[in-house]
Amino acid sequence: MNLTKTALSLSLLAIMATSGMANAKNSQFTLKVEGTIVPASCDIGNGASAKTVLLGKLQADKLNVDSETLLPSRTVSIDIQCAGLTAVGIQPTDVAEKAGQVNYMGVKAPDAFSLGATADGTVIGGYMVKLNSGETKVDNQGITSFISAPVGSGIWHNVDSSQAISSNGQNMYSWAMGSDATAPAMGKYHSIKLEISPFIAPASTLKTTENIDIKGEATYDLVYL
């Protein structure tokens, strides 16, 4: 008899608990507010998608036979116009033929951009690119320093003015102002000056009895920071 009472009592409790859960009402309502703030749109190149540096016609008999011939440096401007105050950078990538295969003084120069190749695949030469902090401005104000970080990283470090930028697309470059010399500067108008230093491979490595067309090409992707 005691066993039967115990079983009956347990059954009643289970039914009551189930009934209470079925009749439960919501006692709380959650309202979420979500969205995304995106960077102000920017235009790199002031509407132009390309810029050409002309080296002119070079006389083969004026080239150094067994060493590189250094050509005069050129200064190139990359202008970035933004709709609002925005921190941006550039990601340079050499896309010319023989990119990453340029030699300088007998050794491979990892920071050298290619000037293309001859018909038989010989590297014509290359050029180094340095950032000119003296002429680079943000909203018409001079910058404090150039900074660099691996693509996808937020860890910035200063770039020495004598250091050539990377040509392999693995680094991004920006510029800083004020007391924080490693924080990308905010601005609407960014005018970046690049110093281009080209060189031609030793004439002894080139077939100079025919025209050699120099075709260097690199992309500079705009990076929002």
Side-chain angles (χ1 to χ4, degrees):
M1 179 66 74
N2 290 338
L3 290 174
T4 302
K5 287 182 177 180
T6 301
L8 178 62
S9 299
L10 290 173
S11 297
L12 289 173
L13 287 172
I15 293 171
M16 291 173 64
T18 303
S19 176
M21 291 175 64
N23 294 328
K25 303 295 183 181
N26 291 332
S27 60
Q28 186 181 71
F29 177 78
T30 300
L31 176 64
K32 295 183 179 181
V33 180
E34 298 179 346
T36 303
I37 298 176
V38 299
S41 60
C42 298
D43 173 65
I44 185 170
N46 282 344
S49 60
K51 181 175 287 189
T52 302
V53 177
L54 299 176
L55 299 182
K57 293 184 178 181
L58 308 175
Q59 298 297 321
D61 60 351
K62 302 296 184 183
L63 300 177
N64 296 332
V65 175
D66 297 316
S67 62
E68 288 81 8
T69 300
L70 305 183
L71 303 179
S73 297
R74 273 81 166 168
T75 299
V76 178
S77 176
I78 296 181
D79 297 320
I80 302 171
Q81 181 73 52
C82 301
L85 294 175
T86 311
V88 294
I90 53 175
Q91 179 186 343
T93 305
D94 190 2
V95 296
E97 188 176 0
K98 299 296 181 178
Q101 302 179 44
V102 180
N103 287 343
Y104 184 72
M105 297 184 67
V107 297
K108 185 171 291 186
D111 294 334
F113 290 74
S114 174
L115 288 178
T118 62
D120 62 2
T122 302
V123 176
I124 298 171
Y127 62 98
M128 304 293 189
V129 180
K130 295 180 181 179
L131 302 165
N132 190 325
S133 58
E135 296 186 42
T136 294
K137 294 184 178 181
V138 177
D139 293 338
N140 291 320
Q141 296 185 23
I143 66 168
T144 302
S145 62
F146 276 105
I147 53 179
S148 175
V151 172
S153 168
I155 302 176
W156 296 90
H157 64 271
N158 291 115
V159 177
D160 189 281
S161 59
S162 63
Q163 177 182 346
I165 66 175
S166 171
S167 64
N168 58 17
Q170 297 180 8
N171 293 291
M172 52 187 179
Y173 297 86
S174 188
W175 33 93
M177 297 177 65
S179 57
D180 192 345
T182 57
M186 300 281 288
K188 290 185 177 181
Y189 184 70
H190 306 252
S191 180
I192 304 94
K193 302 295 184 182
L194 306 178
E195 182 180 326
I196 311 296
S197 300
F199 59 89
I200 305 299
S204 59
T205 67
L206 303 173
K207 188 177 181 181
T208 57
T209 55
E210 56 188 35
N211 286 344
I212 298 175
D213 294 326
I214 295 172
K215 294 182 178 179
E217 184 176 352
T219 60
Y220 289 79
D221 290 323
L222 177 63
V223 182
Y224 292 94
L225 305 173

